[in-house]
Amino acid sequence: MDLGAITKYSALHAKPSGLILQYGTAGFRTKAEHLDHVMFRMGLLAVLRSKQTKSTIGVMVTASHNPEEDNGVKLVDPLGEMLAPSWEEHATCLANAEEQDMQRVLIDISEKEAVNLQQDAFVVIGRDTRPSSEKLSQSVIDGVTVLGGQFHDYGLLTTPQLHYMVYCRNTGGRYGKATIEGYYQKLSKAFVELTKQASCSGDEYRSLKVDCANGIGALKLREMEHYFSQGLSVQLFNDGSKGKLNHLCGADFVKSHQKPPQGMEIKSNERCCSFDGDADRIVYYYHDADGHFHLIDGDKIATLISSFLKELLVEVPVYCTKTGVKHLHHKAQEFDIGVYFEANGHGTALFSTAVEMKIKQSAEQLEDKKRKAAKMLENIIDLFNQAAGDAISDMLVIEAILALKGLTVQQWDGLYTDLPNRQLKVQVADRRVISTTNAERQAVTPPGLQEAINDLVKKYKLSRAFVRPSGTEDVVRVYAEADSQESADHLAHEVSLAVFQLAGGIGERPQPGF
Ligand code: 16G
Ligand code: MG
């Protein structure tokens, strides 16, 4: 380690003294102007992680669905996964070290993790379309170079595309080619082959309106669309040509406001979807004949995909995990086939190598009908971005399944009916006073909170309610559901009051009404 050079360059990316940030659920996220030092240091950390794992590591500059003024950074581990938890702690320590302590923290991490500093390092970098992203990714590159790492800057990419690149590079090209062209070709080929098998080829199944949140998804989908246009035509809205990123549009807006994005005209029963700002989430929706809006969220996407796979396979059990796709991803890896989605539209399916091999072999040997199913599965496996939840890949999977099963968007929506629900947030002095267990469905602390929630829940029919500290904002999230919207709203409000009272609420007391 050339400590002299590190000190010199670090001074060019100086940390504002006293600023404390946390590597949260999906990396660091805050106002872009506070992130320069974090980017530089994450460049350093990526080099150490790459040396330790002897693999390519990814660094993505994005703040996903958050406002355009924000930015963020996260590291991608060798198999396209989120950074290992012990390294999240290192990331937090390194980002928060005052200038004079930075070197010591860097050396501490290297020693603790037994990093061989002589080992080569390779880092790949991607960024979203935020005005601040280009300069911030340059700061990452400064960090990588000062520690002697090699790098490839992919420039503008969706988050899942960067995960894909990392996965490809660390599996010797077996998963796919680590180029944007490789990504487009792999997914599109599988999609086109799958949809060829669909018997219903009416236009209804072949066109889709896509709200791109004024983000990177628009650029990439536009580049990609001619690769799959024989199977699907997409009409892009909020493509970044005028509107602001994630403002009144995008998957997070649609999911949390339960209404269509601005800038998209929807005729009744037209199939529409929204990506978020870095295109790793997708939700679907439509207007019925009476003009009512229907949201089809991640839960229904998971149902569609798993029921389709189930027809081709066996029983599908359901498990819950803590919030954050990294937790779902790890759970899914315990199975031969794992389908996971958060309600916010973030998810994918994973197939173990053993299952993938078996399917590929059997596709050759089986009799006609079964061979067709095996071929279908083979294409489905190729179509999923198994390294990460990916709006583009998920969209193509969904479109293929709808076409294959001849399902309309309403029929899909009708697979089950959601109970009315409400999500709220409460401001507290320190959200860490709330700790949870049982996949964040029960509060352990502060004392009395879970009992209070239990008592409130008893007052309503078909009801449940959960609270948990957010992993990305300084708030507590409250979720409630019940047999009617009115009851769900009341319950959510009452639980918010309990949180406010028992967990140190600050500011105005939660008010009823939304
Ligand atoms: C991040 C997570 C997402 C999770 C959300 C919860 C990634 C890539 N994204 O956006 O999975 O649902 O945080 O945020 O990990 P919250 O804790 O603030 O509700
Ligand atoms: Mg996102």
Side-chain angles (χ1 to χ4, degrees):
M1 250 193 254
D2 180 350
L3 295 177
I6 297 172
T7 311
K8 193 172 126 207
Y9 277 89
S10 184
L12 301 175
H13 300 282
K15 172 181 179 295
S17 87
L19 178 67
I20 302 289
L21 298 167
Q22 193 79 27
Y23 196 99
T25 307
F28 292 101
R29 235 167 244 188
T30 186
K31 294 275 160 268
E33 67 259 28
H34 294 148
L35 279 167
D36 184 51
H37 68 293
V38 177
M39 297 291 165
F40 173 74
R41 294 170 183 204
M42 288 310 104
L44 301 174
L45 192 73
V47 170
L48 294 187
R49 181 69 173 151
S50 170
K51 286 177 187 284
Q52 189 212 31
T53 57
K54 302 189 178 58
S55 306
T56 296
I57 294 296
V59 180
M60 182 72 198
V61 177
T62 180
S64 183
H65 57 282
N66 295 107
E68 185 167 282
E69 301 71 39
D70 291 7
N71 217 320
V73 59
K74 69 177 174 191
L75 266 58
V76 179
D77 252 1
L79 296 180
E81 297 161 279
M82 303 295 176
L83 188 62
S86 58
W87 281 77
E88 290 188 355
E89 280 172 34
H90 299 328
T92 301
C93 284
L94 190 60
N96 293 325
E98 295 303 334
E99 247 358 89
Q100 66 275 13
D101 303 328
M102 220 269 292
Q103 282 186 10
R104 186 186 45 76
V105 172
L106 211 53
I107 293 168
D108 274 2
I109 298 171
S110 311
E111 284 175 358
K112 243 189 228 153
E113 295 291 345
V115 175
N116 172 4
L117 294 169
Q118 306 312 317
Q119 180 70 38
D120 289 341
F122 199 87
V123 177
V124 290
I125 298 145
R127 64 179 144 89
D128 71 10
T129 54
R130 280 160 218 272
S132 59
S133 290
E134 190 170 356
K135 185 159 175 291
L136 290 175
S137 70
Q138 197 52 53
S139 307
V140 174
I141 293 173
D142 281 359
V144 173
T145 10
V146 77
L147 261 192
Q150 306 270 69
F151 69 93
H152 179 80
D153 180 10
Y154 280 100
L156 293 166
L157 280 188
T158 70
T159 297
Q161 285 171 342
L162 183 75
H163 285 256
Y164 166 90
M165 302 302 177
V166 173
Y167 194 26
C168 289
R169 282 176 179 267
N170 289 318
T171 45
R174 277 191 309 280
Y175 184 65
K177 264 174 85 179
T179 60
I180 193 75
E181 188 73 20
Y183 171 93
Y184 293 150
Q185 275 169 353
K186 178 170 193 269
L187 267 58
S188 305
K189 181 168 169 279
F191 176 73
V192 169
E193 296 215 341
L194 261 176
T195 44
K196 266 193 216 145
Q197 291 180 262
S199 44
C200 353
S201 53
D203 272 354
E204 191 187 351
Y205 296 108
R206 298 291 186 239
S207 69
L208 174 67
K209 290 187 165 172
V210 187
D211 154 32
C212 298
N214 290 317
I216 181 72
L219 260 73
K220 297 299 161 182
L221 196 55
R222 190 144 277 153
E223 276 172 19
M224 187 178 183
E225 90 192 286
H226 72 271
Y227 288 83
F228 59 70
S229 53
Q230 62 188 113
L232 174 72
S233 97
V234 285
Q235 212 184 330
L236 273 50
F237 295 85
N238 299 319
D239 64 356
S241 52
K242 21 183 212 298
K244 207 171 164 186
L245 180 70
N246 296 324
H247 182 61
L248 305 175
C249 62
D252 194 57
F253 172 85
V254 172
K255 165 80 183 156
S256 44
H257 292 80
Q258 309 254 337
K259 60 178 179 195
Q262 253 189 16
M264 184 193 258
E265 204 184 296
I266 310 179
K267 298 203 198 82
S268 75
N269 296 330
E270 257 178 354
R271 211 161 60 252
C272 306
C273 67
S274 285
F275 294 0
D276 72 337
D278 62 340
D280 63 354
R281 294 187 189 183
I282 185 168
V283 294
Y284 270 70
Y285 42 90
Y286 67 98
H287 272 151
D288 64 22
D290 300 326
H292 291 133
F293 175 77
H294 294 257
L295 177 72
I296 305 184
D297 66 6
D299 297 349
K300 264 192 184 142
I301 296 174
T303 307
L304 177 77
I305 296 169
S306 41
S307 62
F308 180 74
L309 292 175
K310 188 172 158 185
E311 277 173 27
L312 301 172
L313 295 157
V314 278
E315 276 289 292
V316 185
V318 175
Y319 293 85
C320 288
T321 74
K322 283 164 74 173
T323 305
V325 277
K326 60 188 175 201
H327 301 297
L328 284 86
H329 197 88
H330 280 135
K331 190 77 202 171
Q333 282 174 328
E334 292 172 15
F335 301 89
D336 281 338
I337 299 179
V339 179
Y340 70 79
F341 271 85
E342 293 186 311
N344 60 29
H346 199 147
T348 189
L350 300 181
F351 300 82
S352 73
T353 323
V355 159
E356 199 179 330
M357 300 267 291
K358 233 187 208 158
I359 291 168
K360 291 204 165 152
Q361 280 162 8
S362 59
E364 306 308 319
Q365 292 156 8
L366 292 169
E367 84 249 22
D368 254 17
K369 193 167 158 221
K370 285 193 180 151
R371 187 170 60 222
K372 222 173 136 187
K375 269 273 163 219
M376 235 181 237
L377 263 175
E378 213 183 308
N379 283 320
I380 292 255
I381 294 173
D382 281 346
L383 190 45
F384 272 113
N385 182 348
Q386 291 193 56
D390 180 337
I392 294 181
S393 143
D394 293 340
M395 177 189 88
L396 293 175
V397 171
I398 292 164
E399 291 299 312
I401 295 177
L402 292 177
L404 286 164
K405 293 187 65 133
L407 277 180
T408 64
V409 67
Q410 302 90 313
Q411 286 165 331
W412 171 20
D413 189 30
L415 286 178
Y416 65 85
T417 311
D418 275 316
L419 280 173
N421 56 71
R422 177 66 62 193
Q423 269 193 71
L424 296 174
K425 41 186 174 180
V426 182
Q427 300 278 353
V428 295
D430 179 3
R431 68 195 200 271
R432 288 170 304 180
V433 301
I434 297 193
S435 62
T436 61
T437 183
N438 190 10
E440 297 181 321
R441 286 172 296 183
Q442 259 179 311
V444 180
T445 60
L449 179 59
Q450 188 57 49
E451 291 72 18
I453 296 173
N454 294 346
D455 289 345
L456 293 169
V457 163
K458 278 190 207 130
K459 293 170 38 186
Y460 300 89
K461 284 197 201 111
L462 293 178
S463 62
R464 326 187 270 171
F466 315 122
V467 301
R468 66 173 178 88
S470 157
T472 64
E473 274 182 75
D474 204 7
V475 296
V476 174
R477 302 243 184 256
V478 171
Y479 173 86
E481 67 183 32
D483 63 334
S484 70
Q485 190 61 54
E486 202 190 350
S487 298
D489 289 352
H490 271 140
L491 177 58
H493 174 61
E494 289 187 307
V495 172
S496 300
L497 284 175
V499 169
F500 192 84
Q501 277 152 14
L502 297 168
I506 50 171
E508 211 191 327
R509 271 164 66 88
Q511 298 297 313
F514 310 96

